[in-house]
Amino acid sequence: MKKPRHLSAPQAILLSFAAMIVIGTGLLALPWASQSGQSVSLLDAFFTATSASCVTGLVVVNTMQHWTWFGQLVILALIQLGGIGFITVVTGALIIFRQRIGLRQRLTIQTMFSQSSLGGMTRLVWQVLRYTAVIEGAGAVLLTMGFLTANRGYTFVESVWYGIFHAISAFCNAGFDLVGINSLAEFQGHWLINLTVMVLITLGGLGFTVLHELRHFKAKKHWRRLSIHTRLVCGTSAVLVVAGTVLFALLEWHGALGHLATPQKWLAAAFESVTLRTAGFATIDQSQLTPLSQLLATGFMFIGGSPAGTAGGVKTITLALLVAAVSSGLHGHTGIVIAGRRLPLALVQKALAVFFALFAVIVMAVLILHFSEAGNSFAPTLMETIFEATSATGTVGLTTGLTPFLSPIGKVTIALCMFIGRLSPLTLVVALSLRQNADSHIIDYPAANVIIG
């Protein structure tokens, strides 16, 4: 008798996200989810549910104007579950009720957070839930204060709801907002709101393993006491944020930032650099960026955040490994050595696979959108099409204005890009594969492991 086939960890992750999207679609299609009292089309409900579950932020209908409190609450729940993982929440509930966590569930958690060891999965889940609650809670308090002092006429209840919604959306790198049709543009010069959102985006994008290590890092300890992974994540992230701020300020000083005072120009440039790391909030109109700035933006969206967090993209570690590999090649080295540790070749191979797989998805999406949106009233340029496809695949959520005008084929294409981008192409391929090949590791002299994808 043939034994029943159990789901692999990647398949469990894939099905959990698919289930969230299906349930979210059904709930958002209900009449009382829309302010008009009429059901939104299934395609628009599916698109919104996918965008929320995959923490992207692209929308075909305005979140504030179209959805009721019920609809907004469904979206917020999908963002939270999609950000930290439905399986993480279920496991957390089992821990609270003192239920046993099985081996298969531990393997799924290990895969979801890209851990190299199976040990400590229960502790990891508890840490993820705790960090999420503390960071989002603190962010909600600060943002509530920000909305109350923004002189926009918000009541205390509205400010609290907006604070909670945007704190969760920012930490999960989702980019959904409730304040208008131009994202956070009307709060362009509000330092408290801008800085709070930027910090939340950054913390969510660093990854939970990095957050945990930094929490226990004491100033008296040397930087080298941190793991290779944490050093690469922090170093690469810092370089990208600073470089992005300077470049956007230089490129748009007299353009999209031209109407702002000097301090606000730097604030808006810094916010743009941070939000492109898969967050999707915007304080400047992306359609007003020069083509060169839009091209630069697609590069940052493609890179994204860091592994084991709420961000998308190829990840900072992938970029760091590829740069290190190129540097090693240029210097004639036979391997990649960082901080006295030689990294396994398999990591570089995986980094290359992630990089080119995500690039291939974007190219295919651009080709499809080129034909499906040929008669679009928005009439997107090639750069705008590339921007849209990269934003979706990198789970960013920024748009130059094309999203609400997408054709049915375009909506399905972008939805699939968001789904693939959130899972990562490698997880999707492994989940759909009928055979699971065991990895063979060759033990060499002291090596370090980092997280990929």
Side-chain angles (χ1 to χ4, degrees), residues 240-450:
L240 289 172
V241 170
V242 173
T245 300
V246 173
L247 288 172
F248 281 110
L250 292 175
L251 292 173
E252 299 295 337
W253 194 264
H254 299 292
L257 305 176
H259 64 288
L260 299 172
T262 299
Q264 279 71 38
K265 286 183 179 180
W266 285 109
L267 177 63
F271 191 95
E272 180 75 3
S273 179
V274 171
T275 197
L276 285 169
R277 310 295 302 288
T278 82
F281 291 104
T283 57
I284 58 178
D285 188 349
Q286 304 301 300
S287 66
Q288 298 302 312
L289 297 177
T290 63
L292 183 57
S293 294
Q294 291 181 355
L295 181 62
L296 178 65
T298 59
F300 279 90
M301 291 190 293
F302 183 75
I303 296 169
S306 301
T310 60
V314 298
K315 306 295 192 300
T316 53
I317 285 292
T318 297
L319 175 66
L321 285 181
L322 294 182
V323 170
V326 171
S327 177
S328 296
L330 292 176
H331 288 86
H333 298 158
T334 57
I336 299 178
V337 179
I338 299 178
R341 291 290 185 270
R342 188 174 68 84
L343 300 183
L345 177 61
L347 290 175
V348 181
Q349 293 173 328
K350 192 172 183 181
L352 284 169
V354 170
F355 186 94
F356 285 104
L358 212 66
F359 181 77
V361 171
I362 292 173
V363 171
M364 289 298 298
V366 170
L367 289 174
I368 294 172
L369 291 174
H370 174 74
F371 293 103
S372 68
E373 310 308 307
N376 196 310
S377 58
F378 184 82
T381 63
L382 177 60
M383 188 65 247
E384 289 171 334
T385 303
I386 295 174
F387 191 100
E388 190 83 8
T390 306
S391 178
T393 309
T395 69
V396 181
L398 292 173
T399 180
T400 56
L402 172 61
T403 310
F405 300 95
L406 286 170
S407 66
I409 295 177
K411 291 177 182 178
V412 172
T413 300
I414 292 298
L416 288 175
C417 285
M418 293 188 287
F419 186 72
I420 295 172
R422 183 66 182 102
L423 290 177
S424 96
L426 293 189
T427 300
L428 187 64
V429 169
V430 173
L432 297 178
S433 176
L434 296 178
R435 296 181 61 186
Q436 304 293 327
N437 296 320
D439 292 327
S440 59
H441 299 280
I442 300 176
I443 300 176
D444 204 342
Y445 60 86
N449 232 335
V450 296

Side-chain angles (χ1 to χ4, degrees), residues 205-263:
L206 284 177
F208 292 105
T209 52
V210 174
L211 290 179
H212 181 66
E213 190 169 350
L214 291 177
R215 177 176 177 270
H216 295 282
F217 176 71
K218 297 180 180 179
K220 64 180 180 180
K221 291 185 177 180
H222 200 277
W223 167 256
R224 293 180 180 176
R225 303 288 285 274
L226 293 172
S227 68
I228 300 295
H229 173 78
T230 296
R231 277 186 273 171
L232 284 177
V233 166
C234 293
T236 307
S237 298
V239 170
L240 289 172
V241 170
V242 173
T245 300
V246 173
L247 288 172
F248 281 110
L250 292 175
L251 292 173
E252 299 295 337
W253 194 264
H254 299 292
L257 305 176
H259 64 288
L260 299 172
T262 299

Side-chain angles (χ1 to χ4, degrees), residues 98-138:
R98 301 183 181 278
Q99 299 296 309
R100 181 178 177 273
I101 309 301
L103 177 60
R104 293 189 180 279
Q105 196 159 8
R106 293 174 187 270
L107 287 169
T108 302
I109 296 167
Q110 179 191 15
T111 303
M112 180 176 292
F113 291 102
S114 304
Q115 299 298 294
S116 57
S117 172
L118 189 59
M121 290 301 100
T122 301
R123 185 171 63 253
L124 174 62
V125 167
W126 188 246
Q127 290 169 352
V128 168
L129 295 176
R130 184 175 59 182
Y131 291 150
T132 300
V134 171
I135 294 172
E136 290 180 350

Side-chain angles (χ1 to χ4, degrees), residues 53-77:
S53 300
C54 299
V55 290
T56 305
L58 291 174
V59 295
V60 289
V61 293
N62 183 269
T63 307
M64 178 189 69
Q65 296 176 346
H66 181 85
W67 304 108
T68 61
W69 277 63
F70 172 77
Q72 293 172 11
L73 191 60
V74 170
I75 290 172
L76 188 62

